[in-house]
Amino acid sequence: MPDVQALVNDFLIKLKKRKIEGSQATARQAAELLRSVISQQRVPYTNQAGALIDAVRAVGEQLIAANPVELAVGNIVRRVLHIIREEDLSLTTAAISGLNLSAASDGDDDDDDGERDEHTVLSAAAVAAAARNALRPPSLQTLLEDMPESVAIPHTYSSGGDSEGKSKSADKSSRTRRLKHDVIEAVNELIQDINTCHEQIAEQAVEHIHQNEVILTLGSSKTVLEFLYAAKEKKRSFRVFVAEGAPRYQGHLLAKELVTRGLHTTLITDSAVFAMISRVNMVIVGAHAVMANGGVIVPVGLNMVALAAQKHAVPFVVLAGSHKLCPLYPHNPEVLLNELRSPSELLDFGEFSDCLDFGSGTGSPLLHVVNPAFDYVPPKLVSLFITDTGGHNPSYMYRLIADYYSADDLVVRRRVALGN
């Protein structure tokens, strides 16, 4: 079994050096790393979920800091934290239900109605205490310690005291293994969802693309590619306009791939979008991240496309897997909306070397080059989101995102003890 810290360090280097291309690959590798962290984490008998949460937080904080712009990393860390909380709550609820059944059974054997009522009321109080804070459920050990002796699990008085102690120890060990097993199984399902998100989204293509339509997109997105190809496989005949996506010209790669797969494709410059938008029936684009307010972080240039689509009443549709749904808002200080790429993508240093020389006595170059990587499209410009769970309006995204994350995990930082 490889050392977890070595795996973490290797992944941190990849994130810092931008060695991983695409949010899907980044999310999958982050989930696989956290699965390894959980599987090798030793957990105590008490507060098992807390130990797993602390371990994931410690690693997650490093991963997010390594590449703050890649929001998919933080999304996966928060998803795994939410999974731990949910599985712990599920096991706690199941254990309390078993305790209630045991108390009810004891009450049936007792002829004293008053004592039976006392068991029922106290058990209900224990359940209410467990459900009082669903986002931060107490551990089963805490619940049992807080219960009165009258509700505690009845003792069996026998000469086999050692056997009873061994049974309790084995039961605690079983609960520990059960929590880790359930969490790992849930993380495996998350990884499977990430791997199949393109196929899940592409299955919905036939519902949105119709015969003889004209689709506009910009840049290159594997999700968009699979979506368009799925519609073509369903015998839909349509044409695709691809804006080239300067300065990286990723649209050239998408246009070539679309032609290879047999789709009618027209390549246009980014500046021609407003001139061509009147011929378009729908704009379909990918996303870097979807924020909690329904806004979208997209490749640079797509805000211009969204404005053109709004001006001509053309639907603006965003395709995004669930791993791109971010529980943060654009104004949150934890969100880094953009990064500046190399000026070499815009100009040749040899040709512009004179302009880039430092001015005499000023201490700064005469020419500055700004090359942002992303645009922000506000929710009012988005017509529809298509995710691996279906189509959703921008106003519904906050509710969809709330199903994947816990409020306690929005800021991924390790708990600092008071007095430190």
Side-chain angles (χ1 to χ4, degrees), residues 128-168:
R132 191 170 294 123
N133 190 352
L135 294 178
R136 190 181 296 169
S139 66
L140 178 60
Q141 180 72 18
T142 304
L143 290 173
L144 294 178
E145 288 175 353
D146 291 343
M147 284 183 181
E149 292 184 359
S150 59
V151 204
I153 301 176
H155 296 281
T156 303
Y157 297 97
S158 64
S159 58
D162 294 340
S163 299
E164 181 181 355
K166 292 179 180 179
S167 175
K168 289 182 178 179

Side-chain angles (χ1 to χ4, degrees), residues 21 23 35 88 105 187 205 211 234 250 267 284 290 341 359:
E21 283 288 339
S23 297
R35 180 181 61 186
D88 181 54
S105 176
V187 174
Q211 196 74 6
K234 295 295 184 180
Q250 295 292 303
L267 183 66
I284 299 178
V290 179
R341 300 185 61 86

Side-chain angles (χ1 to χ4, degrees), residues 95-274:
I96 293 176
S97 299
L99 185 62
N100 289 338
L101 292 176
S102 175
S105 176
D106 292 343
D108 291 339
D109 294 338
D110 197 337
D111 294 331
D112 189 353
D113 293 340
E115 184 176 349
R116 183 184 308 133
D117 293 341
E118 182 182 359
H119 279 296
T120 304
V121 172
L122 290 173
S123 297
V127 174
R132 191 170 294 123
N133 190 352
L135 294 178
R136 190 181 296 169
S139 66
L140 178 60
Q141 180 72 18
T142 304
L143 290 173
L144 294 178
E145 288 175 353
D146 291 343
M147 284 183 181
E149 292 184 359
S150 59
V151 204
I153 301 176
H155 296 281
T156 303
Y157 297 97
S158 64
S159 58
D162 294 340
S163 299
E164 181 181 355
K166 292 179 180 179
S167 175
K168 289 182 178 179
S169 177
D171 182 56
K172 289 180 179 179
S173 178
S174 175
R175 287 202 301 269
T176 300
R177 292 195 300 269
R178 178 67 183 276
L179 177 61
K180 288 182 66 174
H181 174 271
D182 290 352
V183 169
I184 291 173
E185 284 298 311
V187 174
N188 286 336
E189 293 178 5
L190 172 60
I191 294 173
Q192 181 65 19
D193 290 342
I194 295 172
N195 289 331
T196 61
C197 70
H198 294 319
E199 291 78 6
Q200 297 293 330
I201 294 174
E203 288 178 359
Q204 307 169 58
V206 71
E207 303 173 10
H208 300 278
I209 298 179
H210 305 96
Q211 196 74 6
N212 298 325
E213 285 191 333
V214 177
I215 309 298
L216 172 67
T217 188
L218 181 143
S220 180
S221 166
K222 184 178 180 181
T223 310
V224 173
L225 172 64
E226 297 298 335
F227 190 82
L228 297 175
Y229 182 66
K232 189 255 183 185
E233 287 292 287
K234 295 295 184 180
K235 308 303 180 183
R236 292 284 194 267
S237 177
F238 57 94
R239 174 171 289 277
V240 183
F241 288 173
V242 180
E244 58 185 359
R248 300 182 68 194
Y249 302 107
Q250 295 292 303
H252 296 179
L253 303 177
L254 178 62
K256 182 178 180 180
E257 188 64 32
L258 289 173
V259 171
T260 302
R261 298 196 183 194
L263 281 84
H264 298 285
T265 306
T266 301
L267 183 66
I268 63 174
T269 62
D270 297 342
S271 56
V273 166
F274 225 107

Side-chain angles (χ1 to χ4, degrees), residues 74-75 78 290-292 325-329 332 401-402 405-406 409-410:
N75 296 343
R78 297 181 183 93
V290 179
M291 310 308 293
L325 305 183
C326 181
L328 304 177
Y329 289 84
N332 288 133
I401 289 174
Y405 304 99
S406 298
D409 303 323
L410 298 186

Side-chain angles (χ1 to χ4, degrees), residues 285 287 289-298 306 316-320 324-331 337 375-387 392-402:
V285 299
V290 179
M291 310 308 293
N293 65 336
V296 198
I297 300 177
V298 292
F316 187 88
V317 179
V318 177
L319 311 182
K324 295 185 178 182
L325 305 183
C326 181
L328 304 177
Y329 289 84
H331 60 266
L337 289 178
D375 260 346
Y376 174 71
V377 177
K380 65 180 181 180
L381 299 182
V382 180
S383 305
L384 181 70
F385 286 99
I386 301 178
T387 72
H392 309 283
N393 290 324
S395 60
Y396 182 76
M397 295 309 294
Y398 82 96
R399 184 67 188 87
L400 181 64
I401 289 174

